[in-house]
Amino acid sequence: MTVSGPGTPSLRPLPLGRASSVEQLRKEGNELFKCGDYDGALAAYTQALSLDAAPEDQAILHRNRAACHLKLEDYGKAETEASKAIEKDGGDVKALYRRSQALEKLGCLDQAVLDLQRCVSLEPKNKVFQEALRNIGGQIQEKVRYMSSTDAKVEQMFQILLDPEEKGTEKKQKASQNLVVLAREDAGAEKIFRSNGVQLLQRLLDAGETDLMLAALRTLVGICSEHQSRTVATLSMLGTRRVVSILGVENQAVSLAACHLLQVMFDALKEGVKKGFRGKEGAIIVDPARELKILISNLLELLTEVGVSGQGRDNALTLLIKVVPRKSPKDPNNSLTLWVIDQGLKKILQVGGSVQDPPGQLTVTANSRMSASVLLSKLFDDLKCDAERENFHRLCENYIKSWFEGQGLAGKLRAIQTVSCLLQGPSEAGNRALELSGVMESMISLCASEQEEEQLVAVEALIHAAGKAKRASFITANGVSLLKDLYKRSEKDSIRIRALVGLCKLGSAGGTDFSMKQFAEGSTLKLANQCRKWLCNDQIDAGTRRWAVEGLAYLTFDADVKEEFVEDGAALKALFQLSKSEERSVLFAVASALVNCTNSYDYEEPDPKMVELAKYAKQHVPEQHPKDKPSFVRARVKKLLAAGVVSAMTCMVKTESPVLTNSCRELLSRVFLALVEEVADRGTVVAQGGGKALIPLALEGTDVGQLKAAQALAKLTITSNPEMTFPGERIYEVVRPLVSLLHLNCSGLQNFEALMALTNLAGINERLRQKILKEKAVPMIEGYMFEEHEMIRRAATECMCNLAMCKEVQDLFVAEGNDRLKLLVLYSGEGDELLQRAAAGGLAMLTSLQPSLCSRIPQVTTHWLEILQALLLSPNQELQHRGAVVVLNMVEASKEIASTLMETEVLEILSVLAKGQEGPVTRAAAACLGKAVEYGLIKPNQDEE
């Protein structure tokens, strides 16, 4: 076989381009299907359909496509394809059976049973159809029994909940819990829905009691979950405005429950848009795209309503962040984002430009402005062309001008706060806003205001502007002296700490480059020392202490600051406590400081030749601080682990807040990877919950962040017991991130660690092996078996050896026309002993589980006999044992193979081995000779048995 390199797909009988007829393509699809390559089979059948196939061929191809979709667990498409086959041939029993399987998985039991009854009528003696009909009949009866038994229960629960005499009783509490549990099952949710449940739940919502409202909202979650028609009906009965308004209540638990309900509703409606107006039950309903816009429109209105709680406003922003932007740039449709920008950008800016708790203004929390910044950033990133971005800039600038011009000092403050919000979000828009006439000058002048609120707004905006390249020089020239003056003379800690952060930001402009110091020697350490003092002062509110962390996030570029910081146990404790507090906006700063302390940012050693060239050309050459060398970094990591950094980071990962952006997740992933670099530290990371925290980081975030987290997972999986590190169902979630490390864009180290980790998982149980297969890892693992790097090649072979316990992988080796078996035989004779051991182990397992392979070993290479003899004569007992097992399997497979082996030196080798010290090799050799005697190929006295 021809292999181009790592990641090469599994072998196919023919490339699609070589097939020239429907029949050839159909046969090729069948072969691919047998080999487990369902995507390839689907492509072959699709190409065959494009060749104007005859009606009878079209029916076969459609039913074959249905089989592929069933294997790929895409039951909606499987049902569609089977229906097309039945349209072509109403008596196609295979198509009817496949449609019944798809309908059963889709929950349409009544339709599935009709297809099965038709199958049985066409083939009355077919036991498979009879058994399937019995099974589905049992399911229907169970569902009917369940539904009838819950009728009275639902009615009784609502009676208790709506009875004013039962107020606050244990009976009422139990009834509400039972209702929520019942709604989690689709059948229970359907029963509640059909029993006038939504109107009754509305009465619970109107009652105003917290417990009843929570029970009603959680029950509605069950009714609407993954069911678009019930979702639309619920919104129609309750009123979209009414549902959204619950977000704005003061009670935090009720607001969060309403947020969860709306998220479920959004998911159901968005799924409806994708599927084209079809619900779970297949009914045609109102256009879900229209319902989606109505829901979003109400959320946008809520943002600027007076009387809405700050928590409710934050929840509305969170929902918009989750549902509006595209999930993937591959999706060409960003119309929802464009619509939200046109309809609601000013409302989002109004929240972002709000000052916390002023009289007569919108109520916001400490996290509201940051959430608005994240939403603005997501919307801006979702734009596809310059015209769309220009429209965004124009709307932002017009809004800022409307406050800046003719609205007095209060208007200028609002405008500057809005600019600050943009600088934290879509910084390109923030930079454009800074260029507006008078904005920068007003910012500088307001820093000297006598009013603390005005100073706070101006100084914060100045800090955010300081990092922007276009304005850094202007601020350095005009703002440094002002910030120093504020820091030294202001009597208010809230102003001094912000001024200090501005100085820190300007002082860290050189990043990790030791040769580019902005301040005099020792000044950076003094600033850092003051930041640590404020951080440890629990008399200062969390919102103000957060700025001390911001300062450290910049100052920890300096290795001297890192060293002092990790030595300060009180400061680390305060940092970790603050990261677990309600002050969510501190997360990015905490993560940044930890990245700096662990040196987990990207750093490449400069090429010595380029350094010499730069010196010759009198160009600046970056220098690394002596305390940023690996030994210092390792020591800092140890100190952070001892201080409890993992538990703090685990809490940060669990945060349900827009502030935990993809960029923030990437920083946490980088730190985790640095923490697990040393094998000795991995136990500590696992013990403090690091394994659990890494899974969500590996499944969501930036591409770089996901890969870093996946690599950290691989390191943990290699050196610890995966079942202990990832208990319960979590172990199955680890597979996908590990498989992502097998792609060609990953480094050789990442490929190697992923293969090692997958080898460990594949050896645990069949379900994990099936999960690895489902993630389409086998073709990539096969590709790496041809890798030039011996460690990667060996790891891939070991992984394949463990996967060989799986029937689907065995079928790949059994399939005709491939060289997989040949590769294992040849690797069993390689000079690399570890590779030999892996290949021989795989060979022993395959020949044991699939005896038909034994007769093919002599056909794959002329060197097969000398390879087996070398294994039997190996000084390594493991290799010797594996070789003996392969020979035993071959002898037991057929008399003909046994005869061939007994005519060679193998007989003499086995005779010697059988007389050796008692052990697995001796027993295997003796078993070989015993079988040869049984066949009559040798006599017992020949080997003195």
Side-chain angles (χ1 to χ4, degrees):
M1 69 183 154
T2 305
V3 177
S4 58
T8 303
S10 54
L11 298 168
R12 299 180 176 183
L14 265 176
L16 289 180
R18 294 189 193 170
S20 57
S21 70
V22 171
E23 182 63 21
Q24 281 177 297
L25 282 163
R26 185 169 67 80
K27 285 181 179 177
E28 180 183 339
N30 293 346
E31 287 300 318
L32 292 168
F33 188 90
K34 285 177 190 174
C35 294
D37 187 355
Y38 306 121
D39 286 315
L42 198 57
Y45 298 141
T46 304
Q47 190 173 341
L49 278 169
S50 70
L51 297 177
D52 297 324
E56 58 272 21
D57 286 331
Q58 287 182 23
I60 293 168
L61 290 165
H62 279 301
R63 83 178 183 214
N64 288 357
R65 279 170 57 82
C68 293
H69 286 305
L70 282 171
K71 288 290 187 183
L72 294 167
E73 298 182 13
D74 193 339
Y75 303 116
K77 287 183 181 176
E79 186 257 339
T80 303
E81 289 295 331
S83 296
K84 287 178 182 177
I86 293 163
E87 284 171 21
K88 303 287 182 188
D89 180 2
D92 189 335
V93 72
K94 287 185 179 179
L96 284 163
Y97 180 60
R98 283 168 192 169
R99 187 168 72 174
S100 75
Q101 289 178 295
L103 288 167
E104 182 184 353
K105 291 292 185 181
L106 291 168
C108 307
L109 299 180
D110 51 342
Q111 296 174 48
V113 80
L114 293 174
D115 281 347
L116 279 172
Q117 286 170 346
R118 175 85 175 127
C119 289
V120 171
S121 69
L122 290 169
E123 293 187 13
K125 295 182 180 180
N126 191 313
K127 291 184 180 179
V128 173
F129 297 159
Q130 291 170 2
E131 183 63 27
L133 188 59
R134 272 196 297 274
N135 287 340
I136 209 164
Q139 288 181 53
I140 290 171
Q141 287 176 3
E142 184 60 35
K143 190 173 180 181
V144 169
R145 277 199 301 274
Y146 177 77
M147 295 294 276
S148 59
S149 69
T150 54
D151 276 351
K153 288 180 184 175
V154 170
E155 189 178 342
Q156 187 183 17
M157 281 186 267
F158 275 117
Q159 280 179 353
I160 295 168
L161 290 169
L162 294 168
D163 185 353
E165 300 297 321
E166 295 285 353
K167 190 172 182 179
T169 64
E170 188 180 333
K171 197 174 178 184
K172 201 166 195 173
Q173 188 180 15
K174 191 172 182 181
S176 66
Q177 288 171 351
N178 289 340
L179 195 64
V180 173
V181 171
L182 183 65
R184 286 176 187 158
E185 296 292 331
D186 187 62
E190 185 66 19
K191 192 69 223 169
I192 295 169
F193 180 76
R194 293 187 183 280
S195 302
N196 202 31
V198 176
Q199 288 90 336
L200 293 170
L201 290 168
Q202 186 172 15
R203 288 174 61 186
L204 294 181
L205 289 171
D206 293 339
E209 289 182 42
T210 298
D211 289 345
L212 292 183
M213 290 181 79
L214 288 172
L217 290 167
R218 288 165 184 166
T219 305
L220 285 167
V221 166
I223 289 172
C224 297
S225 184
E226 297 182 10
H227 206 296
Q228 56 169 311
S229 58
R230 287 203 298 251
T231 298
V232 173
T234 300
L235 284 169
S236 175
M237 285 185 264
L238 294 178
T240 305
R241 186 76 192 132
R242 171 78 178 99
V243 177
V244 172
S245 68
I246 301 171
L247 265 185
V249 301
E250 287 294 337
N251 188 292
Q252 192 171 337
V254 173
S255 180
L256 281 170
C259 183
H260 185 209
L261 171 61
L262 286 165
Q263 178 69 64
V264 165
M265 288 177 158
F266 273 120
D267 290 343
L269 291 173
K270 286 194 116 176
E271 196 60 31
V273 172
K274 276 193 251 178
K275 290 187 177 177
F277 319 138
R278 290 174 66 86
K280 186 183 279 187
E281 72 300 336
I284 304 298
I285 61 160
V286 181
D287 180 358
R290 178 178 169 276
E291 296 296 318
L292 198 62
K293 283 190 174 179
I294 292 171
L295 204 48
I296 290 172
S297 179
N298 277 278
L299 276 179
L300 291 170
E301 290 295 328
L302 185 82
L303 289 180
T304 53
E305 277 186 20
V306 177
V308 171
S309 67
Q311 178 71 35
R313 225 178 295 280
D314 287 356
N315 287 336
L317 288 166
T318 301
L319 282 168
L320 290 167
I321 288 166
K322 288 180 178 178
V323 302
V324 176
R326 293 171 294 169
K327 293 293 182 191
S328 167
K330 292 177 184 176
D331 178 2
N333 183 10
N334 70 339
S335 58
L336 195 56
T337 293
L338 297 176
W339 182 81
V340 168
I341 288 171
D342 288 337
Q343 300 295 316
L345 184 62
K346 289 181 181 177
K347 293 180 172 66
I348 300 164
L349 289 170
Q350 193 173 335
V351 177
S354 296
V355 181
Q356 199 170 341
D357 297 330
Q361 295 283 348
L362 299 180
T363 307
V364 293
T365 70
N367 300 316
S368 300
R369 288 194 298 277
M370 181 60 79
S371 296
S373 293
V374 172
L375 176 55
L376 289 166
S377 183
K378 293 266 187 186
L379 293 174
F380 188 78
D381 291 343
D382 204 36
L383 301 178
K384 296 192 293 185
C385 63
D386 289 343
E388 292 174 359
R389 284 184 277 272
E390 193 56 43
N391 178 56
F392 187 95
H393 290 314
R394 180 179 55 78
L395 290 170
C396 290
E397 287 166 18
N398 288 344
Y399 178 82
I400 291 164
K401 284 178 185 175
S402 72
W403 283 103
F404 196 75
E405 297 166 0
Q407 296 282 347
L409 183 59
K412 283 185 170 59
L413 275 176
R414 174 64 71 95
I416 290 170
Q417 186 76 283
T418 306
V419 172
S420 189
C421 174
L422 286 169
L423 286 166
Q424 292 177 86
S427 56
E428 189 179 321
N431 268 328
R432 285 271 294 257
L434 284 175
E435 300 295 323
L436 293 174
S437 175
V439 169
M440 201 72 209
E441 290 73 15
S442 296
M443 203 184 289
I444 295 288
S445 63
L446 279 170
C447 284
S449 169
E450 294 295 320
Q451 298 296 318
E452 183 179 2
E453 292 78 11
E454 294 170 9
Q455 272 191 313
L456 286 175
V457 171
V459 173
E460 284 184 22
L462 193 64
I463 292 166
H464 297 312
K468 311 307 167 190
K470 288 184 180 179
R471 282 296 180 175
S473 57
F474 178 91
I475 293 165
T476 304
N478 298 277
V480 171
S481 56
L482 178 61
L483 289 170
K484 283 183 178 177
D485 193 54
L486 284 172
Y487 174 57
K488 289 175 182 176
R489 302 191 180 196
S490 178
E491 296 176 1
K492 302 179 183 70
D493 278 344
S494 58
I495 300 297
R496 292 187 68 220
I497 199 167
R498 284 165 174 80
L500 176 60
V501 172
L503 291 170
C504 294
K505 196 167 185 178
L506 292 168
S508 65
T512 57
D513 185 354
F514 179 52
S515 62
M516 286 186 67
K517 292 293 177 187
Q518 301 295 310
F519 294 151
E521 191 69 36
S523 297
T524 308
L525 284 171
K526 286 179 184 175
L527 292 174
N529 190 42
Q530 186 58 56
C531 280
R532 297 205 312 274
K533 282 182 182 176
W534 271 320
L535 175 60
C536 295
N537 186 352
D538 54 13
Q539 301 302 309
I540 302 174
D541 66 280
T544 303
R545 287 164 66 210
R546 186 261 289 192
W547 286 96
V549 184
E550 293 273 357
L552 288 167
Y554 293 113
L555 292 172
T556 47
F557 280 121
D558 187 311
D560 288 317
V561 173
K562 299 179 199 182
E563 287 295 315
E564 285 197 2
F565 186 38
V566 297
E567 291 289 348
D568 189 341
L572 288 177
K573 184 179 178 183
L575 179 79
F576 298 154
Q577 284 177 342
L578 195 59
S579 71
K580 299 174 186 177
S581 71
E582 292 298 314
E583 185 61 46
R584 303 285 82 189
S585 53
V586 78
L587 295 183
F588 191 85
V590 172
S592 299
L594 291 174
V595 164
N596 291 341
C597 287
T598 57
N599 283 37
S600 45
Y601 41 73
D602 290 327
Y603 176 78
E604 285 187 20
E605 287 286 345
D607 185 337
K609 291 181 181 178
M610 294 303 293
V611 170
E612 289 302 317
L613 191 62
K615 286 178 180 176
Y616 179 76
K618 295 185 179 177
Q619 295 293 316
H620 173 70
V621 179
E623 292 178 24
Q624 188 182 39
H625 195 292
K627 291 181 181 176
D628 272 332
K629 290 184 176 171
S631 57
F632 284 92
V633 176
R634 283 195 294 272
R636 290 200 292 266
V637 166
K638 299 274 186 196
K639 286 166 187 170
L640 287 170
L641 284 168
V645 67
V646 177
S647 59
M649 288 171 63
T650 303
C651 289
M652 290 166 71
V653 173
K654 290 177 183 174
T655 301
E656 289 290 335
S657 167
V659 177
L660 188 66
T661 59
N662 286 344
S663 299
C664 188
R665 298 172 79 90
E666 180 185 321
L667 294 178
L668 292 172
S669 297
R670 288 176 178 276
V671 178
F672 267 121
L673 184 56
L675 295 177
V676 300
E677 192 61 42
E678 294 288 314
V679 175
D681 296 331
R682 293 174 193 173
T684 306
V685 173
V686 171
Q688 294 182 16
K692 300 170 194 172
L694 276 165
I695 294 172
L697 291 176
L699 294 172
E700 185 184 347
T702 64
D703 290 343
V704 172
Q706 286 179 279
L707 286 177
K708 299 277 184 190
Q711 191 176 359
L713 282 172
K715 288 177 185 289
L716 293 179
T717 309
I718 291 167
T719 55
S720 60
N721 181 349
E723 291 173 288
M724 299 285 285
T725 307
F726 313 107
E729 292 297 304
R730 286 193 185 92
I731 195 169
Y732 301 98
E733 296 178 53
V734 177
V735 174
R736 181 172 296 170
L738 294 180
V739 172
S740 71
L741 294 175
L742 296 179
H743 292 290
L744 291 175
N745 61 330
C746 296
S747 67
L749 178 61
Q750 289 171 330
N751 299 153
F752 172 71
E753 290 180 331
L755 289 165
M756 293 285 286
L758 288 168
T759 301
N760 278 1
L761 293 180
I764 292 173
N765 62 42
E766 180 62 17
R767 188 178 163 196
L768 273 168
R769 289 190 285 275
Q770 288 295 332
K771 178 69 175 170
I772 293 169
L773 261 69
K774 191 177 175 183
E775 294 296 335
K776 300 178 182 174
V778 172
M780 290 185 278
I781 294 167
E782 280 191 308
Y784 285 115
M785 288 174 72
F786 293 87
E787 174 63 42
E788 287 182 16
H789 196 292
E790 62 179 23
M791 292 178 71
I792 294 177
R793 186 168 68 240
R794 183 195 308 147
T797 307
E798 287 175 351
C799 191
M800 188 59 72
C801 173
N802 279 359
L803 287 171
M805 291 185 271
C806 187
K807 179 67 167 61
E808 288 82 351
V809 174
Q810 294 165 28
D811 290 343
L812 294 176
F813 281 86
V814 171
E816 294 293 334
N818 73 79
D819 290 338
R820 293 184 178 91
L821 185 64
K822 178 179 180 178
L823 185 64
L824 280 188
V825 174
L826 291 174
Y827 278 177
S828 297
E830 279 285 310
D832 178 351
E833 195 173 275
L834 292 172
L835 177 61
Q836 258 190 303
R837 189 177 66 180
L843 206 55
M845 188 173 297
L846 284 165
T847 51
S848 173
L849 297 168
Q850 294 290 338
S852 62
L853 291 173
C854 294
S855 60
R856 285 169 51 184
I857 289 177
Q859 299 166 16
V860 294
T861 173
T862 55
H863 301 290
W864 69 277
L865 194 56
E866 58 190 85
I867 289 170
L868 287 179
Q869 289 173 353
L871 286 174
L872 292 171
L873 293 169
S874 172
N876 183 311
Q877 201 159 17
E878 272 192 80
L879 282 176
Q880 209 174 38
H881 179 229
R882 292 172 191 213
V885 171
V886 174
V887 172
L888 176 59
N889 292 337
M890 292 176 72
V891 168
E892 290 181 335
S894 80
K895 183 177 179 180
E896 186 183 346
I897 302 172
S899 176
T900 304
L901 286 167
M902 293 303 138
E903 290 169 1
T904 67
E905 292 177 10
V906 170
L907 174 58
E908 189 180 338
I909 297 169
L910 289 172
S911 300
V912 173
L913 292 176
K915 294 172 185 175
Q917 190 176 349
E918 174 65 22
V921 176
T922 310
R923 288 193 291 273
C928 289
L929 295 171
K931 195 69 180 174
V933 169
E934 188 183 315
Y935 286 142
L937 299 175
I938 60 174
K939 294 179 180 179
N941 63 359
Q942 280 184 269
D943 52 6
E944 297 176 6
E945 287 185 0

